[in-house]
Amino acid sequence: MSRYVVRRLLQAVVVMLGVSIVVFALVHLVPGDPIRTAMGTRFDQQTYELLRARHGFDEPLYVQYFTWLASAVTGDLGVSFRSGRPVTTVLLGRLPATLSLAFAAIVVALLIALPLGIVSAVRQGRASDYIATALSQVGISIPDFWMAIMFILLFSLTLGWLPATGYAPLSEDPLTWLRHVTMPAVTLGVVSGSVITRFVRSSMLEAMSQDYTQTARAKGLAERVVVRRHVIKNALIPVVTVTGLQLAFLLGGVIVVEFIFAWPGLGQLLLIAVQSRDYTVLQGAVLLFALIFLIINLVVDLLYAWLDPRIKYG
């Protein structure tokens, strides 16, 4: 197991290096001058040239890349052109909001997907199966921005139950955080839960057709015991994969939903960085997203061995 983890970590270093090259090249292809944009109406040619030299923009592109990479390895991702603050500080300031929203959304998704998927598989071909399948299809088909607007109209403007926008840190005021996170988490959770429901159903059906399930039934075990002891755990492996991918997607920043609910997460930060041509924030954010994705993939792979002892890592 330890050899496998070391090998995966070495692969992650190579992937991160490749991501850094691609993102650095693509970001510098974005039209616009970040220094000129940051100066706005206070433009002065002499100051402009000094700022370009300070940020290394007067150097060749490959020199800029290696200078940035050497700093990034030590955790220094540069300074934001827009705010003048260190990029690492800016990202870490936004990360708690994104983490809390992503994990709340994935909890909502699993609360939707596991019951619907299990009931749909156990009662295959019955009315409950068709209802669960239809609900998951509706959840996948409805655009998240439309659902977010409908939630605001109903629960905030009409009923007045929940705030339409805003954010409160979970560590400071859990109740206020819960009131603010409910609508964006349900919006994202419905979409992710609908996707996961399909995988739960198909995994359950496959596990229910295996020999060990048939043997358990032949021993006279009740169907609910067979499902609980033999089917659900074996059906969880592909479900863990898709849940991990959905969580990585949510942690990568859901721009539209964060923008609608004024949620100060990484998605909203990324949108602002693109609009203001804030190269350093863009590069740092994409690197952070890649790192999150790699970590979640590693965790998912390690969970396989826990769920199925037959899986061995060399």
Side-chain angles (χ1 to χ4, degrees):
M1 177 70 77
S2 58
R3 291 176 57 189
Y4 173 78
V5 173
V6 171
R7 187 166 67 249
R8 286 294 301 271
L9 291 176
L10 292 175
Q11 292 173 355
V13 172
V14 176
V15 171
M16 290 295 292
L17 182 62
V19 170
S20 70
I21 295 173
V22 172
V23 70
F24 189 88
L26 291 179
V27 164
H28 282 75
L29 290 175
V30 175
D33 188 332
I35 302 295
R36 181 69 181 85
T37 303
M39 293 182 68
T41 57
R42 300 168 297 173
F43 179 78
D44 175 75
Q45 187 63 39
Q46 184 177 3
T47 305
Y48 173 77
E49 296 297 337
L50 288 173
L51 288 174
R52 279 183 57 83
R54 178 183 299 175
H55 291 284
F57 284 170
D58 56 343
E59 299 285 350
L61 196 59
Y62 70 91
V63 174
Q64 294 182 43
Y65 168 73
F66 284 112
T67 302
W68 170 72
L69 182 62
S71 299
V73 169
T74 65
D76 180 9
L77 296 173
V79 177
S80 169
F81 298 134
R82 181 173 176 271
S83 64
R85 299 166 58 205
V87 173
T88 304
T89 303
V90 173
L91 294 176
L92 292 179
R94 297 274 186 154
L95 188 59
T98 293
L99 286 174
S100 63
L101 176 57
F103 281 101
I106 209 68
V107 168
V108 172
L110 291 175
L111 289 175
I112 293 171
L114 293 178
L116 278 183
I118 292 172
V119 169
S120 180
V122 171
R123 298 179 175 274
Q124 184 184 15
R126 302 181 187 178
S128 52
D129 179 22
Y130 296 125
I131 292 172
T133 303
L135 289 175
S136 66
Q137 185 61 47
V138 170
I140 294 172
S141 303
I142 295 178
D144 53 6
F145 68 86
W146 183 87
M147 194 184 311
I149 294 171
M150 292 301 103
F151 282 160
I152 290 175
L153 288 175
L154 177 60
F155 295 108
S156 181
L157 300 181
T158 303
L159 300 175
W161 292 352
L162 297 169
T165 58
Y167 166 73
L170 174 61
S171 57
E172 295 180 7
D173 191 343
L175 184 59
T176 304
W177 170 83
L178 181 62
R179 283 173 48 81
H180 282 91
V181 81
T182 298
M183 286 197 293
V186 171
T187 300
L188 297 171
V190 167
V191 178
S192 295
S194 300
V195 174
I196 299 173
T197 298
R198 297 295 188 90
F199 283 86
V200 173
R201 181 182 184 275
S202 61
S203 299
M204 288 284 295
L205 290 175
E206 182 178 355
M208 290 169 68
S209 65
Q210 297 299 314
D211 291 341
Y212 55 80
T213 306
Q214 303 301 326
T215 302
R217 290 195 181 105
K219 290 180 179 179
L221 293 177
E223 186 65 20
R224 65 178 181 277
V225 177
V226 173
V227 171
R228 186 175 66 251
R229 292 183 182 177
H230 300 280
V231 175
I232 292 180
K233 187 174 181 179
N234 288 284
L236 282 179
I237 294 180
V239 175
V240 167
T241 303
V242 70
T243 302
L245 292 175
Q246 290 295 315
L247 180 59
F249 168 71
L250 295 172
L251 287 171
V254 189
I255 297 176
V256 174
V257 172
E258 287 190 359
F259 181 77
I260 291 174
F261 289 104
W263 193 265
L266 292 173
Q268 189 186 78
L269 176 66
L270 191 62
L271 177 62
I272 295 172
V274 171
Q275 292 173 338
S276 59
R277 306 296 190 271
D278 202 340
Y279 288 174
T280 51
V281 172
L282 274 173
Q283 292 164 180
V286 174
L287 279 184
L288 180 59
F289 295 156
L291 180 62
I292 288 171
F293 191 84
L294 290 171
I295 291 173
I296 290 177
N297 269 347
L298 177 59
V299 171
V300 167
D301 286 347
L302 296 179
L303 281 175
Y304 285 170
W306 178 74
L307 290 171
D308 190 348
R310 295 171 300 176
I311 298 176
K312 302 294 181 182
Y313 296 117

